[in-house]
């Protein structure tokens, strides 16, 4: 799958969320002065994804204070996402993309290598979209640990 690059228009989406509602990129863009941080993670409640989600949780006030909304997207179902959000006190939307349609359109699904094994799966990624819908930052194959701190620096939050 081709990955998004700065300057491209981000594909719009509407997905079910952990809280039983839906979230759309268009709605998030309308509420964020500077843009939307869309991050893709492989599986709720796993060590790396928990670290990353908690880093976003702990940085949420600073990100929002600088005009950014945050949404996490995974291939997990909404029930699993709801348990994850409750267990980790996550207050930003967690969206479910079980058919990978959005994940693939955003270039976050593809070949991965882990411990010498090659397989197809979700590529941990973060894409920032401005209020007009244009990609301003796109990072693929990010590490769970330390990624949010680097993102904050890239966005001028720190």
């Amino acid at each position: 799958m081709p990955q998004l690059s700065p300057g491209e228009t981000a594909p719009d989406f509407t997905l079910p969320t952990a809280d039983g509602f839906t979230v759309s990129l268009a709605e998030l863009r309308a509420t964020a002065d500077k843009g939307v941080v869309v991050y893709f993670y492989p599986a709720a409640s796993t060590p790396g994804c928990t670290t990353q989600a908690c880093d976003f949780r702990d940085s949420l006030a600073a990100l929002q204070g600088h005009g950014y909304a945050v949404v996490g997207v995974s291939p997990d179902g909404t029930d699993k996402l709801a348990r994850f959000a409750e267990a980790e006190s996550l207050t930003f939307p967690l969206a479910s993309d079980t058919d990978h349609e959005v994940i693939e359109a955003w270039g976050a699904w593809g070949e991965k290598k882990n411990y010498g094994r090659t397989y197809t799966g979700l590529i941990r990624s973060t894409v920032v979209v401005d209020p007009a819908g244009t990609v301003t930052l796109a990072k693929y194959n990010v590490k769970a640990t330390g990624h949010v701190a680097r993102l904050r620096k890239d966005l001028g939050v720190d």
Side-chain angles (χ1 to χ4, degrees), residues 47-62:
C49 295
T50 299
T51 295
Q52 186 178 26
C54 290
D55 283 352
F56 272 112
R57 177 200 64 205
D58 296 346
S59 292
L60 189 61

Side-chain angles (χ1 to χ4, degrees), residues 54-154:
C54 290
D55 283 352
F56 272 112
R57 177 200 64 205
D58 296 346
S59 292
L60 189 61
L63 289 165
Q64 289 175 333
H66 279 79
Y68 293 97
V70 174
V71 60
V73 180
S74 90
D76 294 318
T78 55
D79 290 346
K80 185 175 181 184
L81 295 179
R83 290 189 301 275
F84 183 46
E86 183 176 345
E88 303 303 334
S89 301
L90 304 176
T91 57
F92 54 87
L94 296 179
S96 171
D97 185 20
T98 56
D99 64 6
H100 311 156
E101 185 176 317
V102 173
I103 294 167
E104 289 181 26
W106 284 60
W109 188 262
E111 189 174 280
K112 299 172 57 165
K113 292 182 182 179
N114 194 18
Y115 300 109
R117 193 177 116 238
T118 301
Y119 61 98
T120 301
L122 190 133
I123 299 165
R124 190 181 305 276
S125 312
T126 299
V127 179
V128 180
V129 180
D130 73 13
T134 303
V135 174
T136 59
L137 183 139
K139 302 282 186 183
Y140 292 89
N141 292 306
V142 301
K143 301 289 182 206
T145 304
H147 170 64
V148 175
R150 283 187 295 281
L151 178 67
R152 287 173 57 125
K153 186 176 179 181
D154 289 346

